Amino acid sequence: MESMLNKLKSTVTKVTADVTSAVMGNPVTREFEVGRHIASGGPGMCWRIYNGTKKSTKQEVAVFVFDKKVVDKYQRFEKEQIIDSLKRGVQQLTRLRHPRLLTVQHPLEESRDCLAFCTEPVFASLSNVLGQWDNLPSPVPNDIKDYKLYDVETKYGLLQISEGLAFLHSGVKMVHGNLCPQNIIINKSGAWKIMGFDFSISSTNPSDAEPKYTCKEWEPNLPPLCLPNPEYLAPEYILSVSCDSASDMYSLGVIFHAIFNEGKPVFQVNKHDIFKSFSRQLDQLSSMSPTVLNKIPEEVREHVKMLLSVTPNVRPDADQMTKIPFFDDVGAVTLQYFDSLFQRDNLQKSQFFKGLPKVLPKLPKRVVVYRILPALTSEFINPDMVPFVLPNVLLIAEECTKDEYVRLIMPDLTPVFKQQEPVQILLIFLQKMDLLLTKTPAEDIKNSVLPMVYRALEAPSVQIQELCLNIIPTFANLIDYPSMKNSLIPKVKSACLQTSSLAVRVNSLVCLGKILEYLDKWYVLDEILPFLQQIPSKEPAVLMGILGIYKCTFSHKKLGITKENLASKSLPHLISLSIDNNLNLNQFNSFMVVIREMLTRMESEHKTKLEQLHIMQEQQRSMNISNPANQSEETKSPPTSSNQVHKFSLSYLVFMFSYHQMSLTLEEKQRLAKEQEQAAKLRKQQPLAPESVKPAANNNSQTKDLTSSLLNNMTSLNNLSLANTPRPTPVQGSTMPHFISSGPMAAPVSNGFNPNMGFQAGVMGMGMRPTTPGLYGGMASTTSTPNFGALSQTNKAPNMSVLDSLFTSSKPKVTLNQLGPTATTPGTNSTWGNQFTPAQNAQTQMQAVPAGMGGMVTGFGMQANPFFSPQNFSQPVPTPNMNQSGMKQSGSVNNDLKDLFG
């Protein structure tokens, strides 16, 4: 490990030393920071290329450096020739300005140790890409070693070189004189640029139509850096000391061959005997074998053969080469159009950008990211073009990695986030919000992306508000919770309350319903549900949206509504909304289904609580029975919570007797009149003091207190209305089923005292007609047992006036036949019961949904959430049919009251 660190340290030190020594003292370093060595190029690959930045603007550049130590082996005269040749080439390049020529950012600067100048950012030379790695750093950078030219890059690169030659030959009247892969530079965007004008020849008569060029004779004794590359020179340059624009076209033909043959030229030249080599080459070109060009694409093979012709007049000129079918590739044409984009008007640009999404998938990612993307983002300065450019930029962003997105796209997108005009910009961003939230850093999401969403919610356009509300649930899981709770939800609530558009209000409710699962329970109970009561409008769509939020909250396993909230807030609100005149029958039924579910849940939870309290009291009572001394001491203490249970039990008994008296006949009431007189006598008696509980010898030796007297006086009622059938064993924790539709059957209902109390199913919750002979049949002691002994702890006579209502005889008469169990034939329903049930479901059997304590409707997703499945509002969950035979009658009133009072 230590050796590796030392090796790394030495490498870094060496690189730093090389860079420092290369440009030390050069004026270029005053304005530019020189980075690492990335490539090489120029005549003989003598220029080292470094990346760099301008100190004042942080603009990225490439720094070309020629180290004079390279020519130390030559004599002084030769050194001067080499330096002069290199300086002439850079100066010529600096004077020329064209998109196909390498752009110089800072002119040539000379110091004692080096020459240096700065250009646009560069990737490498074409020679580096084709495998010539001379003067490159060691080891060779992986991005150069692994670089492979795509077909579209090759085609468009050769087209660019042809266009550059056309500019030199036609525009400047100049012959390059040394066109080869070493003098072709690939910039950071992937464009091919011409450099290396060291041996360029200008026309002697630039004003004439036919330019004339004076060629120098080949001098083999000069240093190689003072001579062009002979492998890419036209034969006439050596053999006849003549040249013109066709000589550059021959060089272009050799470049074609080298690109498709791994960097190898057509012929290898013996530089020591250059004339003999070219004479042999001339003969071979005159009778060229087809195998020489077999790797070149067939559609351009004939054109390359013409470029390599011995006769200069046969070679096509540069302008003709730009028009050959080989360059009519979709990708090449697309890239060419981008290069001429600044010449187009807005209409032409918009039409081009509309068709671009069909072309982008066909192009290599490297071409799209480094060639097309910069051209697209440059159009963001034109607001009218942003709606046409932005979809293409976001399409490219989908294929980029997060690092590429942050480095190449995000800096240009940030200003666009703040643009509000034209409105299409906001719509496009909203449609791609999942992409933005996935790849944008958290800090930029908070500062740029979410503020744009908030502006959309407050936009004056209803369409934008609707789209925003519809899209928010699709990316809600990507928004951090504090932003959602403190910013997003308040904006949605504000849009719902302040809008005058019904569609916006309904979409706001739907949006809230879909993102409930991302909120915590208490935030929903404290902020969302109270907000529903503030909504002013009562349109059916709004009411159903409110119902959906209640249903989602109530059903979700993570959320839920507490029984206290149900009783005091949710149910009163829903019940008041359910009777709105704008609701149709199905919508009303949907309300009733949710209300019944809530009632069932509330009853189940509260009943369970009371049952647990009852068990605790029973345990305490059994302890008192087993230890009479403790019991006597406890009776002296004032009653606390048990006294409340006693009052509740007595009130419940009063209610049950009052309800039962409604169904008594005249004969029964006459008998009750006699018993009322006995009760009057009871009220005058003083209650007996409580005594220790002792096992009774028989039923005739009951204690003469208020409870036993009441039991004895009610025995006659039992004979009238109750059957002496055995009672089923009480079950702890029994639940009340959820009645949905009317039907001719009885269903078991839990009332807190009796787990199996029969009611007519069709009138559940509205007013109930007993289907058993009496309301007291089947009562079981499943809740707390009141201790009426505590009533006699005071010296005052108890106030018995509350029992007066039990014995009044002013209730409507009901025959004994009506009191007994009647078999209801299918299809026959009570007119009174049908008032509260859907008419269309009158013939269907009742369905029940059992709900235990804390029971939840499972599955909160696309199916369980009514906002994703609106039909869930009106379609209750089907359950197996209940037994239609009715419930068995329970035991006598005497047994029930014994169970009730112990």
Side-chain angles (χ1 to χ4, degrees):
M1 184 67 180
E2 185 176 357
S3 60
M4 291 179 62
L5 292 175
N6 291 334
K7 184 177 180 181
L8 178 62
K9 181 180 179 180
S10 62
T11 303
V12 173
T13 305
K14 181 180 178 182
V15 171
T16 307
D18 290 345
V19 173
T20 304
S21 62
V23 295
M24 182 180 297
N26 194 291
V28 167
T29 58
R30 299 172 187 169
E31 299 183 30
F32 297 90
E33 290 283 353
V34 181
R36 65 185 181 89
H37 185 189
I38 58 173
S40 61
M45 306 294 285
C46 65
W47 290 99
R48 286 186 174 186
I49 305 175
Y50 297 84
N51 59 13
T53 54
K54 192 170 184 178
K55 293 180 179 180
S56 58
T57 62
K58 302 301 180 184
Q59 179 185 2
E60 188 177 3
V61 296
V63 182
F64 284 70
V65 178
F66 174 76
D67 191 351
K68 292 183 177 180
K69 292 181 181 180
V70 175
V71 296
D72 283 346
K73 60 183 179 182
Y74 297 105
Q75 296 180 3
R76 182 177 179 181
F77 173 74
E78 294 174 333
K79 289 180 182 178
E80 292 177 353
Q81 282 186 312
I82 294 173
I83 298 300
D84 290 343
S85 176
L86 294 174
K87 291 167 70 173
R88 182 171 57 251
V90 176
Q91 291 167 356
Q92 188 69 271
L93 177 64
T94 305
R95 286 192 292 267
L96 297 173
R97 294 284 179 175
H98 190 266
R100 303 302 178 233
L101 307 182
L102 186 65
T103 304
V104 177
Q105 302 284 6
H106 188 86
L108 181 71
E109 298 280 3
E110 184 177 6
S111 65
R112 184 170 59 85
D113 297 321
C114 68
L115 300 176
F117 68 100
C118 297
T119 69
E120 60 184 298
V122 166
F123 169 69
S125 65
L126 179 60
S127 186
N128 290 152
V129 170
L130 294 178
Q132 188 176 355
W133 297 340
D134 298 346
N135 213 8
L136 279 179
S138 179
V140 178
N142 289 331
D143 52 354
I144 293 180
K145 186 186 298 184
D146 301 333
Y147 193 92
K148 302 296 180 185
L149 288 171
Y150 292 107
D151 185 55
V152 65
E153 291 178 304
T154 301
K155 288 182 179 180
Y156 188 57
L158 290 169
L159 175 61
Q160 289 174 307
I161 300 303
S162 300
E163 291 174 347
L165 289 178
F167 164 73
L168 292 176
H169 298 165
S170 302
V172 187
K173 304 294 179 63
M174 177 186 290
V175 173
H176 186 277
N178 190 24
L179 189 66
C180 60
Q182 299 170 346
N183 289 323
I184 296 176
I185 301 296
I186 302 176
N187 72 0
K188 205 69 174 285
S189 299
W192 292 16
K193 304 292 186 84
I194 299 175
M195 68 164 290
F197 288 87
D198 307 41
F199 307 102
S200 60
I201 303 171
S202 298
S203 173
T204 57
N205 56 342
S207 59
D208 294 346
E210 290 293 332
K212 294 182 180 180
Y213 301 98
T214 303
C215 182
K216 293 183 179 181
E217 185 176 356
W218 183 268
E219 298 182 22
N221 295 326
L222 289 177
L225 290 179
C226 294
L227 295 171
N229 190 338
E231 293 176 340
Y232 291 85
L233 279 181
E236 65 269 16
Y237 193 101
I238 303 295
L239 299 178
S240 61
V241 193
S242 63
C243 65
D244 57 7
S245 58
S247 302
D248 284 343
M249 300 311 295
Y250 177 90
S251 301
L252 180 63
V254 181
I255 291 174
F256 264 91
H257 183 276
I259 289 174
F260 292 103
N261 288 271
E262 301 175 352
K264 298 176 182 178
V266 180
F267 303 106
Q268 299 291 333
V269 176
N270 183 1
K271 299 177 183 179
H272 299 287
D273 193 358
I274 191 75
F275 297 100
K276 185 176 181 181
S277 294
F278 266 84
S279 299
R280 191 184 311 111
Q281 179 179 328
L282 189 64
D283 297 336
Q284 293 176 351
L285 288 174
S286 302
S287 58
M288 184 179 296
S289 170
T291 58
V292 175
L293 305 177
N294 59 356
K295 291 186 178 181
I296 296 176
E298 186 175 357
E299 61 266 30
V300 75
R301 193 174 296 165
E302 287 300 319
H303 297 91
V304 173
K305 189 175 182 179
M306 294 172 65
L307 289 174
L308 297 175
S309 173
V310 175
T311 306
N313 295 335
V314 176
R315 303 167 192 159
D317 60 31
D319 188 60
Q320 291 173 337
M321 282 299 297
T322 60
K323 300 175 182 178
I324 62 175
F326 178 70
F327 297 132
D328 290 339
D329 180 78
V330 174
V333 172
T334 301
L335 295 176
Q336 186 179 26
Y337 195 95
F338 268 110
D339 287 337
S340 62
L341 205 58
F342 63 94
Q343 302 174 1
R344 316 288 179 173
D345 57 27
N346 283 351
L347 179 60
Q348 292 174 322
K349 290 180 181 179
S350 63
Q351 293 174 345
F352 172 71
F353 291 139
K354 285 180 181 178
L356 188 59
K358 299 178 182 179
V359 180
L360 290 178
K362 301 177 183 178
L363 300 176
K365 178 181 176 180
R366 185 172 68 213
V367 176
V368 171
V369 172
Y370 294 101
R371 284 287 289 124
I372 295 180
L373 181 61
L376 289 173
T377 55
S378 65
E379 289 295 319
F380 282 155
I381 60 175
N382 184 357
D384 294 333
M385 286 292 101
V386 174
F388 302 99
V389 174
L390 189 56
N392 295 293
V393 174
L394 296 179
L395 182 62
I396 296 173
E398 290 179 356
E399 302 300 323
C400 291
T401 63
K402 187 171 182 177
D403 177 68
E404 292 172 337
Y405 171 82
V406 172
R407 180 166 45 89
L408 301 174
I409 300 178
M410 189 64 196
D412 296 305
L413 275 185
T414 301
V416 185
F417 285 137
K418 301 176 183 179
Q419 294 186 20
Q420 300 185 22
E421 293 293 336
V423 295
Q424 290 87 347
I425 298 175
L426 202 54
L427 297 177
I428 295 170
F429 275 133
L430 290 175
Q431 292 170 346
K432 294 290 185 178
M433 190 58 62
D434 54 341
L435 167 70
L436 298 177
L437 293 175
T438 302
K439 296 192 174 182
T440 305
E443 190 66 23
D444 291 317
I445 290 177
K446 184 178 180 180
N447 296 333
S448 301
V449 179
L450 291 182
M452 179 190 63
V453 177
Y454 304 152
R455 287 196 301 271
L457 288 173
E458 298 171 347
S461 171
V462 172
Q463 290 79 5
I464 292 180
Q465 286 183 312
E466 286 186 57
L467 178 63
C468 184
L469 291 168
N470 289 331
I471 291 176
I472 285 175
T474 62
F475 60 81
N477 60 315
L478 302 175
I479 302 177
D480 63 290
Y481 185 70
S483 298
M484 179 179 290
K485 183 175 71 172
N486 300 325
S487 300
L488 182 60
I489 298 296
K491 297 289 184 184
V492 176
K493 291 163 61 177
S494 176
C496 181
L497 293 177
Q498 297 177 6
T499 185
S500 58
S501 169
L502 176 62
V504 173
R505 182 162 289 158
V506 173
N507 280 316
S508 299
L509 293 171
V510 174
C511 176
L512 287 175
K514 289 181 178 180
I515 63 179
L516 282 177
E517 59 180 315
Y518 306 113
L519 305 175
D520 64 72
K521 175 178 180 177
W522 300 112
Y523 181 82
V524 174
L525 294 181
D526 295 340
E527 298 294 336
I528 303 298
L529 298 188
F531 153 75
L532 300 179
Q533 302 183 21
Q534 303 172 13
I535 299 176
S537 59
K538 301 297 181 183
E539 291 83 358
V542 175
L543 297 182
M544 296 308 292
I546 294 174
L547 176 65
I549 292 179
Y550 273 114
K551 183 175 181 180
C552 289
T553 307
F554 177 73
S555 304
H556 194 270
K557 59 184 179 181
K558 187 184 80 172
L559 301 176
I561 305 178
T562 62
K563 65 176 183 175
E564 292 79 12
N565 188 289
L566 286 175
S568 61
K569 297 178 182 178
S570 300
L571 279 172
H573 186 216
L574 282 177
I575 291 172
S576 65
L577 295 181
S578 67
I579 60 173
D580 192 276
N581 294 329
N582 293 324
L583 295 177
N584 60 30
L585 180 59
N586 288 334
Q587 292 167 342
F588 171 75
N589 288 339
S590 299
F591 267 89
M592 296 311 297
V593 166
V594 176
I595 291 172
R596 288 177 185 132
E597 288 178 355
M598 290 181 173
L599 285 170
T600 302
R601 175 84 57 78
M602 184 179 66
E603 179 200 15
S604 173
E605 292 182 1
H606 194 66
K607 186 180 105 172
T608 303
K609 177 182 177 181
L610 294 178
E611 287 175 347
Q612 293 172 350
L613 180 61
H614 167 69
I615 292 173
M616 294 172 61
Q617 292 173 341
E618 285 294 323
Q619 293 174 350
Q620 184 65 32
R621 183 183 175 194
S622 31
M623 291 174 62
N624 292 341
I625 293 175
S626 61
N627 193 348
N630 293 340
Q631 182 186 13
S632 60
E633 292 180 3
E634 289 177 1
T635 55
K636 296 178 183 179
S637 61
T640 55
S641 61
S642 61
N643 197 21
Q644 299 175 1
V645 179
H646 298 162
K647 291 180 181 179
F648 171 79
S649 303
L650 184 59
S651 301
Y652 188 83
L653 180 63
V654 170
F655 165 75
M656 301 297 278
F657 280 168
S658 300
Y659 191 89
H660 175 72
Q661 195 172 9
M662 294 171 59
S663 60
L664 298 180
T665 61
L666 178 60
E667 180 181 358
E668 293 168 336
K669 290 181 179 180
Q670 290 174 354
R671 183 172 299 181
L672 283 176
K674 296 178 181 180
E675 295 169 347
Q676 188 174 5
E677 294 176 1
Q678 297 177 3
K681 297 177 182 180
L682 258 173
R683 288 196 297 271
K684 298 177 181 179
Q685 297 177 2
Q686 294 292 338
L688 298 177
E691 296 179 359
S692 301
V693 180
K694 297 180 180 180
N698 51 54
N699 293 336
N700 295 328
S701 59
Q702 297 177 355
T703 306
K704 298 299 182 178
D705 59 359
L706 173 62
T707 304
S708 58
S709 300
L710 188 58
L711 291 175
N712 292 333
N713 284 286
M714 290 304 298
T715 306
S716 57
L717 287 177
N718 178 42
N719 297 329
L720 291 176
S721 58
L722 299 175
N724 295 325
T725 56
R727 292 187 295 109
T729 304
V731 179
Q732 291 283 352
S734 59
T735 59
M736 177 186 291
H738 179 174
F739 295 96
I740 297 177
S741 59
S742 62
M745 64 181 181
V749 179
S750 171
N751 61 7
F753 288 94
N754 180 10
N756 297 313
M757 182 175 180
F759 290 104
Q760 186 68 21
V763 294
M764 174 60 193
M766 294 297 184
M768 298 172 283
R769 179 173 61 85
T771 58
T772 57
L775 287 174
Y776 308 110
M779 282 190 178
S781 179
T782 60
T783 60
S784 59
T785 304
N787 182 3
F788 280 88
L791 294 176
S792 60
Q793 293 174 6
T794 61
N795 295 327
K796 294 182 180 181
N799 184 5
M800 304 300 291
S801 60
V802 352
L803 297 178
D804 288 343
S805 61
L806 296 179
F807 304 100
T808 57
S809 57
S810 59
K811 306 298 179 183
K813 295 181 179 180
V814 182
T815 64
L816 287 174
N817 292 333
Q818 291 175 311
L819 291 176
T822 57
T824 308
T825 59
T828 306
N829 291 287
S830 169
T831 306
W832 179 78
N834 288 338
Q835 299 177 57
F836 307 96
T837 56
Q840 67 271 23
N841 296 330
Q843 304 300 325
T844 62
Q845 294 182 347
M846 193 177 76
Q847 297 174 334
V849 180
M853 176 184 179
M856 297 289 179
V857 179
T858 60
F860 185 85
M862 295 296 292
Q863 301 301 326
N865 191 333
F867 291 102
F868 291 103
S869 302
Q871 65 272 18
N872 291 345
F873 283 139
S874 57
Q875 297 180 3
V877 180
T879 56
N881 292 333
M882 297 175 59
N883 184 10
Q884 301 185 23
S885 61
M887 298 186 61
K888 293 184 179 181
Q889 299 180 12
S890 302
S892 64
V893 170
N894 191 32
N895 292 332
D896 288 334
L897 291 178
K898 287 181 179 180
D899 289 336
L900 214 88
F901 298 105

